[in-house]
Amino acid sequence: MATFLKKVAILFASLHVISMVTSTEVCNQGVNCHLPDCFCGGSGDPGKFSKPSDIPQMVLFSFDDAVTDDIRDMYDKLFAPNRLNPHGCPISMTMFVSHNFTNYDNVRALYRRGMEVAVHSVTHRVPITYWKLATYDALTFEILQQRKYLSENAGIPLTHIKGWRSPFLQPSGDQQFSILKEENFEYDSTFTLSTKDGNSSRIWPNTLDFGWNSECNIPPCPRGKYPGFWEIPVQMLENPSGTSGCLYTDSCRPATVDETFQLFWANFHSHYTTSRSPLFFTMHPAWLVDEKNFQALDYFLLTLLHYYDDVYFINYQQLLRWIKNPQKLQNISDFSPWDCKWVDDDTWWPATADHNGINGGNVTNPGIFIIILIASYAVLFNTFRKHILDDRTII
């Protein structure tokens, strides 16, 4: 009965927010939208600083899918504890974790070192239309059950798991956002911002107080308004070795170590020398199995860590903390949301956590999983080509 009543409440909430869409009110920062609870996003920085050099250049890596032993080894090397941001804390990133084949011991170890853990579904199933047409009950299971797995099997407090990304970047419309907001998630990272070459994708995340006002590249996008709930969109990258940009870094398909490095470097340079808006690299860790890609990313990280004292590799939660309370570069050392006092601190460890290394199931033979993964990328490619405007080929 409680579940039924909750479902009815969310349904009415969805109808309410959809009904508000008829309003012509637009977001106007400082007038009808105020930090820390509301931000219009766009190209202007939340601190309204006088010059871009006042802004720390934030670089954010996010990785989708399972955390296996091999994937954990790559994360350990790339985001090693001795690789430090300029203020002395370890660099970080965000993992959107799906259940199948995940080793939750690995998730727990990475989380304790300061990596963010977010939700990426239980099944990650195909076809992509499953996510487009998902029922309320199916979507609730995919979101809440995976959050529960991450909390119970990796020992992460539920309140520390704040983000969701839909598989294949396929949104499920208003019910997706109604569930996320009702269940106290803080942000979604499913929507896409695309341009032909990626050069205009320098946008700050925004709250959905006034709905999703950008182009709906992959429908169904929500029609409602979700006050205080954040969207951190997947932004297109510039592809220096091709004519079209890419949403997933691995979709640009560089052919050599140098081309892969230039993919990272060109996008960094275009942000760092202009507005210093957050730079997002969204990828699948399986792409790093190719040695040239791993070497290029490793060299990119080392280059920026060695030569730049105003670049910070952070996770999505840290980004939102900064947007809500913008700090000039010179004050970052005193910015508590970016400190690292809690890393490896066992005092937060839940007494009921299962420490037995539960894995994400033997639901599918790993060989079949790889075939499914390859097929999924092919379907993803065709879906993007279909849904993005004709002059906005992504991959």
Side-chain angles (χ1 to χ4, degrees):
M1 177 62 72
T3 302
F4 173 76
L5 292 175
K6 191 172 189 179
K7 189 186 303 185
V8 170
I10 293 180
L11 174 61
F12 276 105
S14 299
L15 293 174
H16 173 64
V17 293
I18 291 174
S19 69
M20 295 192 299
V21 174
T22 56
S23 170
T24 58
E25 187 178 21
V26 296
C27 191
N28 189 343
Q29 195 68 38
V31 178
N32 57 8
C33 180
H34 303 273
L35 288 171
D37 301 317
C38 177
F39 185 56
C40 299
S43 58
D45 73 89
K48 297 183 178 179
F49 296 134
S50 59
K51 52 187 185 296
S53 59
D54 287 332
I55 305 171
Q57 177 61 67
M58 291 167 273
V59 181
L60 299 99
F61 285 90
S62 66
F63 298 89
D64 293 1
D65 302 338
V67 182
T68 64
D69 292 346
D70 289 340
I71 297 302
R72 189 254 174 103
D73 287 344
M74 290 191 294
Y75 290 160
D76 281 344
K77 294 172 184 175
L78 293 170
F79 299 90
N82 63 344
R83 294 187 172 183
L84 306 178
N85 280 315
H87 68 325
C89 285
I91 64 175
S92 183
M93 52 81 167
T94 296
M95 302 177 293
F96 290 92
V97 182
S98 52
H99 177 66
N100 284 355
F101 309 108
T102 285
N103 182 322
Y104 285 92
D105 276 349
N106 294 333
V107 177
R108 179 171 63 248
L110 290 161
Y111 173 78
R112 294 185 68 217
R113 281 184 27 218
M115 310 302 156
E116 180 190 0
V117 176
V119 182
H120 194 48
S121 83
V122 175
T123 66
H124 204 292
R125 63 184 291 180
V126 290
I128 296 178
T129 51
Y130 169 79
W131 302 98
K132 181 177 182 178
L133 305 174
T135 65
Y136 172 91
D137 288 336
L139 197 58
T140 298
F141 169 79
E142 296 284 359
I143 295 172
L144 300 189
Q145 186 61 41
Q146 180 57 7
R147 183 174 66 172
K148 182 179 180 182
Y149 284 154
L150 289 167
S151 179
E152 293 182 350
N153 298 342
I156 303 173
L158 278 175
T159 55
H160 290 198
I161 305 171
K162 297 179 179 292
W164 159 266
R165 175 176 288 159
S166 297
F168 312 108
L169 305 181
Q170 173 59 64
S172 305
D174 279 287
Q175 65 177 355
Q176 171 180 329
F177 293 87
S178 297
I179 295 168
L180 292 171
K181 184 167 174 58
E182 176 69 19
E183 297 297 337
N184 297 314
F185 282 78
E186 183 178 18
Y187 73 88
D188 170 80
S189 184
T190 300
F191 292 165
T192 60
L193 291 176
S194 64
T195 58
K196 185 173 182 181
D197 56 13
N199 284 330
S200 299
S201 295
R202 301 191 187 104
I203 305 299
W204 291 83
N206 62 284
T207 57
L208 298 181
D209 293 63
F210 298 85
W212 176 246
N213 296 317
S214 296
E215 192 171 330
C216 185
N217 290 324
I218 305 177
C221 293
R223 299 171 56 200
K225 301 177 181 181
Y226 301 89
F229 187 81
W230 291 82
E231 178 62 33
I232 304 178
V234 177
Q235 301 190 26
M236 180 169 284
L237 297 173
E238 175 186 351
N239 185 1
S241 61
T243 57
S244 300
C246 52
L247 292 173
Y248 277 109
T249 309
D250 30 311
S251 299
C252 273
R253 298 189 178 94
T256 65
V257 174
D258 182 63
E259 283 188 5
T260 308
F261 178 81
Q262 289 302 323
L263 171 61
F264 291 116
W265 181 257
N267 284 278
F268 165 74
H269 189 263
S270 68
H271 281 70
Y272 182 77
T273 58
T274 56
S275 66
R276 292 208 179 179
S277 63
L279 169 59
F280 298 92
F281 291 107
T282 305
M283 66 184 73
H284 300 92
W287 183 66
L288 297 173
V289 173
D290 186 328
E291 186 63 23
K292 77 174 189 307
N293 299 329
F294 181 89
Q295 288 180 4
L297 177 52
D298 191 42
Y299 184 50
F300 174 72
L301 289 169
L302 290 172
T303 300
L304 266 59
L305 290 171
H306 183 74
Y307 291 105
Y308 292 84
D309 60 2
D310 50 4
V311 175
Y312 287 77
F313 295 95
I314 61 171
N315 60 53
Y316 282 24
Q317 288 189 35
Q318 290 174 313
L319 169 64
L320 293 183
R321 300 290 85 73
W322 189 92
I323 293 176
K324 291 179 179 182
N325 184 19
Q327 302 291 313
K328 286 189 175 182
L329 176 65
Q330 64 195 49
N331 299 327
I332 291 300
S333 294
D334 299 319
F335 185 47
S336 61
W338 284 16
D339 69 28
C340 45
K341 296 175 183 176
W342 68 276
V343 174
D344 282 326
D345 179 4
D346 287 335
T347 57
W348 58 270
W349 195 268
T352 58
D354 186 339
H355 301 165
N356 295 321
I358 294 177
N359 292 325
N362 297 310
V363 222
T364 312
N365 178 281
I368 296 176
F369 173 74
I370 293 172
I371 294 173
I372 292 173
L373 184 64
I374 294 171
S376 299
Y377 286 161
V379 176
L380 180 65
F381 172 79
N382 290 328
T383 299
F384 282 163
R385 288 179 64 91
K386 177 180 178 182
H387 287 303
I388 305 296
L389 295 178
D390 291 342
D391 63 344
R392 294 188 177 181
T393 305
I394 1 182
I395 48 179

